[in-house]
Amino acid sequence: MAKAIEIKRLNKWFGAYQALKDIDLNVSHGERIVICGPSGSGKSTLIRCINSLEHHDSGEITVDDIELNQNKASIAAIGAEVGMVFQQFNLFPHLSVLQNLTLGPTKVRGLSRSEAEERAMRILERVQIPEQAHKQPSELSGGQQQRVAIARSLCMEPKIMLFDEPTSALDPEMIAEVLDVIVDLAEDGMTMIVVTHEMGFARRAADRMVFMDKGEIIEMGAPKDFFEAPKTKRCKTFLNQILQH
Amino acid sequence: MTIRTFSILFLCLLLAGCSSSGTWGWYVIDPTTKQGYNNIRFLLNGFGATILLSIIAAVLSMCIGLIVALPGMSHNRWLRMPSRIYIEFIRAIPLLPMLFWVFYGLPVVLKSMGINANIDAFWGAIITLAISDSAFTAEIYRSGIQSINKGQTEAAKTIGLNYSQTMRYVILPQAIKRILPPLANQFIYIVKMSAFASVIGMQELTRRANELVVTEYRPLEIYTLLILEYLVLVLIISFGVRWLERKMGADESK
């Protein structure tokens, strides 16, 4: 069976700065990957390359057998399969929660308004905020906003979800409610890559840990081995630093 | 505030006119006399043309401005360049020479291209005002669109919206709220600049005032009334825009 995502020798530069160095990463269907590493290590850049928010300079990215190139058709085809959740939520502030959720399905998938609203309500139930459907995003707490953002992605019925530090902008008491939703998705078999520093969540949900530093994948492995017996010094130092708190 | 200030100013002028006869002659526009009434009607009849001219020119300017602004923000410099050139070039032409060029020159250009088009004063003024103003409108759109967080475009992209859908459903509705005050400024500017249409014979407020001055020899009273006519128009726009802003702001702060 083909891999969900195959990345080969991926390189990315921002001017003279090399953000990604020869990245190789394969993700199976249904696999949950957590990427961690110090800031500036290229974690976000890597997942932003997968849904072409950044263009890679060399190497190959294949999503569900579709090769990503500068061709608009491949970008759209891959975009249709990949959902993304941002650190800053990026909800559309001028639209209600329900409208945020139905915009993509009605304009891109061609669903009727009632079909799209029905789907949106079903997904809002799933992220446990159906009662917020008719509010504006600005009326919600950070945790609720992020759950709406997850729901907005799910409304497009993606096969793969990318999470770019989904809890980093949240107050501590709201982190759990967002992580619960992500764990729920993971248990449902969604293929996902999560960039996060939440190591408790990683232990609970990840099939595989990826540690990145300075644009390279330094270490990769099952959470148990990764946390209990990190092989590299850099990884050990990093884990010590963030697990101390 | 403004209304009170101006009405006090107006009353002072009026009183000055009543007390020291010889300098003021309000009789020319005194509605209780037949001549004054006819004169006032003649002047006020210019409102229709000024309003119609301004509204059509403003709408066109907003359309042209958007068409010019969008490629101006492209990553592709060959799309960006024509937009920049248009804005820099149009912005550099004073309104009056442009009006003469359009009214007297454009028909000649069109004729040489085999198009026999007669541009009347009305459309000549509209074309000139719309094009002249569109360079400014385009810059307003650009600043408004660029002020919207990049995350909005990225989020739109991840749910599959294409460029025009992103603009239409996500970026422009947010940008329009922010650019409403400067757009209103441009509309006021158009209303005032429409006075230039008088020099190519357009029967609007200023033209009518000029014509009446020639027959009545009372420039002070007639031009005073003319200024007040523009003041009324501009104040109506200001209030309208403030109402619109409140209405639009209301659902955001809800």
Side-chain angles (χ1 to χ4, degrees):
Chain A
M1 194 179 169
K3 295 280 183 189
I5 304 172
E6 282 185 81
I7 298 171
K8 280 186 201 153
R9 293 185 309 283
L10 187 73
N11 284 288
K12 165 81 188 163
W13 279 268
F14 290 114
Y17 174 73
Q18 187 164 9
L20 295 174
K21 292 175 195 162
D22 281 327
I23 300 284
D24 285 297
L25 181 66
N26 290 331
V27 184
S28 308
H29 287 282
E31 197 177 12
R32 284 95 63 172
I33 305 246
V34 166
I35 304 180
C36 61
S39 63
S41 59
K43 312 173 299 268
S44 293
T45 309
L46 174 60
I47 63 168
R48 287 165 60 85
C49 280
I50 295 172
N51 65 355
S52 68
L53 287 180
E54 305 284 357
H55 296 298
H56 55 281
D57 294 300
S58 71
E60 285 169 31
I61 298 177
T62 313
V63 178
D64 240 1
D65 275 343
I66 309 162
E67 200 197 319
L68 177 67
N69 48 39
Q70 298 306 323
N71 188 327
K72 276 201 171 162
S74 82
I75 293 177
I78 291 175
E81 311 218 336
V82 181
M84 179 142 184
V85 173
F86 301 88
Q87 182 178 351
Q88 299 297 340
F89 328 139
N90 293 343
L91 293 176
F92 306 133
H94 60 300
L95 300 177
S96 72
V97 167
L98 196 61
Q99 287 167 329
N100 264 276
L101 267 57
T102 55
L103 185 63
T106 52
K107 305 302 173 198
V108 180
R109 296 277 198 259
L111 261 61
S112 73
R113 213 182 114 188
S114 60
E115 287 171 322
E117 284 182 356
E118 197 186 313
R119 181 189 285 183
M121 286 313 295
R122 205 171 61 231
I123 291 170
L124 281 178
E125 298 270 356
R126 184 164 177 191
V127 300
Q128 296 169 6
I129 37 172
E131 71 283 359
Q132 314 290 352
H134 298 285
K135 291 195 181 160
Q136 296 295 121
S138 57
E139 297 171 79
L140 306 184
S141 71
Q144 289 169 329
Q145 290 192 42
Q146 191 60 299
R147 284 188 279 163
V148 171
I150 295 171
R152 180 175 65 182
S153 272
L154 292 178
C155 277
M156 298 303 286
E157 303 190 320
K159 294 184 185 158
I160 298 163
M161 286 286 285
L162 308 174
F163 294 87
D164 189 2
E165 306 206 20
T167 57
S168 301
L170 295 175
D171 291 336
E173 74 270 20
M174 293 169 183
I175 292 176
E177 64 185 57
V178 170
L179 290 180
D180 283 345
V181 168
I182 302 176
V183 168
D184 175 57
L185 269 176
E187 284 167 355
D188 226 38
M190 173 72 79
T191 309
M192 54 172 75
I193 302 182
V194 187
V195 172
T196 184
H197 292 136
E198 295 295 328
M199 291 301 130
F201 162 80
R203 272 178 204 267
R204 221 162 106 208
D207 295 317
R208 193 147 46 115
M209 297 295 301
V210 173
F211 174 71
M212 288 181 73
D213 192 18
K214 300 195 175 94
E216 289 174 290
I217 293 182
I218 305 291
E219 196 166 332
M220 196 149 54
K224 196 167 177 293
D225 306 333
F226 180 83
F227 287 112
E228 283 160 24
K231 294 192 266 304
T232 58
K233 190 163 175 288
R234 268 195 273 183
C235 189
K236 262 179 218 155
T237 319
F238 176 75
L239 285 176
N240 277 335
Q241 277 166 348
I242 59 167
L243 293 177
Q244 261 170 12
H245 306 291
Chain B
M1 182 62 201
T2 34
I3 280 205
R4 197 181 302 160
T5 319
F6 280 105
S7 31
I8 288 170
L9 191 70
F10 179 61
L11 277 174
C12 290
L13 284 171
L14 204 67
L15 287 172
C18 299
S19 59
S20 53
S21 59
T23 51
W24 290 82
W26 287 112
Y27 67 88
V28 281
I29 48 170
D30 179 356
T32 55
T33 67
K34 185 151 189 299
Q35 181 210 14
Y37 175 76
N38 283 339
N39 285 346
I40 281 194
R41 271 196 57 179
F42 179 77
L43 289 172
L44 295 186
N45 264 337
F47 263 122
T50 292
I51 291 170
L52 199 60
L53 192 70
S54 305
I55 289 177
I56 298 177
V59 169
L60 280 177
S61 160
M62 283 175 68
C63 297
I64 302 170
L66 187 59
I67 293 167
V68 172
L70 288 177
M73 287 173 287
S74 164
H75 293 294
N76 183 337
R77 62 190 293 244
W78 297 107
L79 282 171
R80 217 164 50 225
M81 216 161 56
S83 164
R84 263 343 292 177
I85 292 171
Y86 178 90
I87 291 169
E88 296 300 340
F89 185 72
I90 297 298
R91 218 163 38 175
I93 310 174
L95 193 67
L96 198 53
M98 190 167 168
L99 186 65
F100 289 146
W101 194 91
V102 167
F103 187 63
Y104 298 110
L106 192 56
V108 183
V109 175
L110 290 174
K111 200 168 181 185
S112 74
M113 289 160 61
I115 308 164
N116 242 332
N118 198 8
I119 297 177
D120 62 14
F122 184 66
W123 285 103
I126 284 178
I127 293 169
T128 308
L129 281 169
I131 289 180
S132 170
D133 190 58
S134 67
F136 296 91
T137 320
E139 288 290 79
I140 292 171
Y141 277 118
R142 187 168 67 93
S143 68
I145 290 169
Q146 285 178 341
S147 77
I148 304 296
N149 191 319
K150 199 164 148 263
Q152 293 288 307
T153 317
E154 292 186 347
K157 198 173 169 187
T158 60
I159 59 163
L161 300 184
N162 61 29
Y163 174 77
S164 58
Q165 288 170 327
T166 303
M167 275 296 156
R168 182 167 161 204
Y169 300 115
V170 178
I171 306 300
L172 287 177
Q174 296 183 59
I176 210 85
K177 256 181 228 178
R178 298 192 187 176
I179 64 178
L180 205 59
L183 277 184
N185 259 344
Q186 285 310 116
F187 186 37
I188 288 169
Y189 170 85
I190 284 185
V191 169
K192 295 196 295 179
M193 292 306 135
S194 72
F196 277 117
S198 63
V199 300
I200 54 169
M202 178 72 212
Q203 287 285 331
E204 42 67 75
L205 289 174
T206 303
R207 176 77 181 191
R208 294 201 158 224
N210 275 337
E211 286 181 2
L212 197 65
V213 166
V214 171
T215 54
E216 294 282 359
Y217 308 111
R218 301 277 355 164
L220 182 55
E221 297 75 15
I222 292 169
Y223 287 139
T224 303
L225 183 67
L226 178 64
I227 287 169
L228 291 172
E229 285 174 318
Y230 281 108
L231 181 69
V232 166
L233 276 184
V234 170
L235 285 178
I236 289 173
I237 297 170
S238 297
F239 283 119
V241 170
R242 230 168 278 162
W243 173 81
L244 203 62
E245 268 178 63
R246 263 201 307 276
K247 211 182 143 216
M248 286 177 128
D251 29 313
E252 200 176 57
S253 58
K254 193 171 64 177

